[in-house]
Amino acid sequence: MTAAVRRPSRVVAARSGAAAGLLLLLVALLLVPATPAAAHAVLVSSSPAASAVVPEAPAQVVITFSEGVRKVPGKVRVIAPDGSRADRGEPTFQGAEVTIPVDPSGARGTYLVSYRVISADSHPVSGAFTYSVGAPSEPPTDSGSDNRANPVTENAVKVAKYAGYAGLLLLVGPALVLAALWPRRLSRRGPARLAWTGLGLLVAATLAEVWLQVPYVNGGGLFDVTGSGLGDVLGSAYGTTHLVRLGLLAAAAFLLRPLFAGPIGRTDGIILAVLGGAALFTWPLAGHAAASPAPAVSVVVDAVHLGGMAVWLGGLVMLAVFLLRRADERELDAILPIWSRWAALAVAALLLAGTVQGLIEVAGIQALFGTTYGRLLLAKIVLFALVIGVAAYSRALVRRRVAAGRPGAMRRAVVAELVITAVVLGVSATLVQTTPARTAAADVGGAERGYFSTTLSSPIYSLEVQLDPAETGNNSLHLYAYTKDSRPQPVQEWKVTAALPSAGIEPITVPLLPLSDNHATGEVNLPARGDWQLRITVRTTDIDQATVTATVPIK
């Protein structure tokens, strides 16, 4: 009688707690309005134009991006030829256009415009260009706060995202198995501890992502966080989705307690599933998917992709750690066929969603092989194919009904799947922080649309070269150095020359401006058509350097 009284009261308490969590979620939504999503921002034009020589000093500099951007305080500057600040007052942000007031009585010479803004997918976008008044001079150096990314902060963001993925699967796996597949005779204590660990890891990762977003967008260190900076993050779409995630997790926590103690009712199970499904959408809404060319499709397929991963890997953890060790042969005979069907559905969802996602984000075969995002995606596909092979072996064991009698073989296959997918999660955590291939190279070949991009290899580094618009006149050159395993390669010194031997044009030195440890940009005027020869020397240490060459057709 006492147990009968306790159980309903526990369910009532859980539902009251879930209501409190949902109330917290609604308060977060009311207090923190979302910012509209737009596509990943790239600089498309400026006035004065990059490398232009104007007769009189302008009263303002206007830079225009492909889509709307948000301000990073103190990170948009104009530097005069003598190194002083030429900008006057705060820049004005109106959608995709940023207007910087400058001193119209400035001296003659070359000015440097540097910027760091936030694109709609929450990632910072930085760059720089020069223009000259009267006549060019030696480009000035920006001695103000650094616009370059902090590598420690960037890596910490990736670790936080990885921890969030790990926490999600450690929470979903136990909850799903305890709700539908767990034998009544077995204790729920171990899976419950695993699930609480996953929930704690997920909450900690979410809070860490919000904290790290402040120095990430400002280019600062891990603890360069101010109250105003944190307020800006919480007031953005990125902050909103993370607060929503915390509210949904709080609501779900109250329904998880009775589930970890024993079977729950159908209504509570449906509510828990709805909360979990809603929480999955907070990942794509805070990343690339919300800023893709087809945001509605991207958000849905990204959520399906993440949900399939959580069900599959979370279930594998439960099999490896608990069921294959504790359940007897009769119980495994009943459990494994059901799990095998679930896994097949999860894998099918992963494949379908991943295919659609890849088509949207890559947008071309050349970009798949010619950009960092594309190469990371290829690595993920290869690893996923290995996992599918191991999963097929596990499913064959279940079909032949030998898995229940030989749990050791099944356990080894499951462990192999988990090891490979742990690497896949690492690649995914890096992938979501990498500029999508559709942005990094809208057309890798570039011939039809006046844009050139290629990847060059040397014994010590891989170099991505981009030249825009690859036509006579002023061109913007971007260089990205990577290690052989596609990680950013820090560079100590860059040297570039451009020559057109067929027209007797001797090598022209291209002045470069480092934007980050592995990224440099420069402006070069190519006066004639033909096959120009770019000769690029990259020094990575005091003694290690290598030179690569590229032939660029200029129209």
Side-chain angles (χ1 to χ4, degrees), residues 64-160:
T64 305
F65 294 87
S66 57
E67 296 289 347
V69 294
R70 292 186 293 114
K71 179 173 67 173
V72 179
K75 295 294 184 177
V76 179
R77 300 184 291 272
V78 180
I79 309 300
D82 62 358
S84 63
R85 292 283 291 271
D87 52 295
R88 298 290 184 265
E90 288 295 317
T92 302
F93 284 69
Q94 293 183 334
E97 190 173 273
V98 180
T99 302
I100 314 165
V102 297
D103 183 4
S105 61
R108 293 166 64 88
T110 298
Y111 288 72
L112 172 67
V113 181
S114 66
Y115 60 87
R116 186 177 181 87
V117 296
I118 310 171
S119 64
D121 60 3
S122 77
H123 296 301
V125 176
S126 60
F129 63 90
T130 61
Y131 69 91
S132 301
V133 176
S137 64
E138 185 70 22
T141 301
D142 188 354
S143 58
S145 57
D146 198 351
N147 264 356
R148 294 182 297 176
N150 185 297
V152 175
T153 301
E154 284 192 326
N155 289 326
V157 171
K158 295 174 185 177
V159 170

Side-chain angles (χ1 to χ4, degrees), residues 126 212 441 486:
S126 60
L212 291 171
S486 297

Side-chain angles (χ1 to χ4, degrees), residues 285-303:
L285 286 172
H288 292 319
S292 80
V297 176
S298 293
V299 168
V300 171
V301 298
D302 213 18

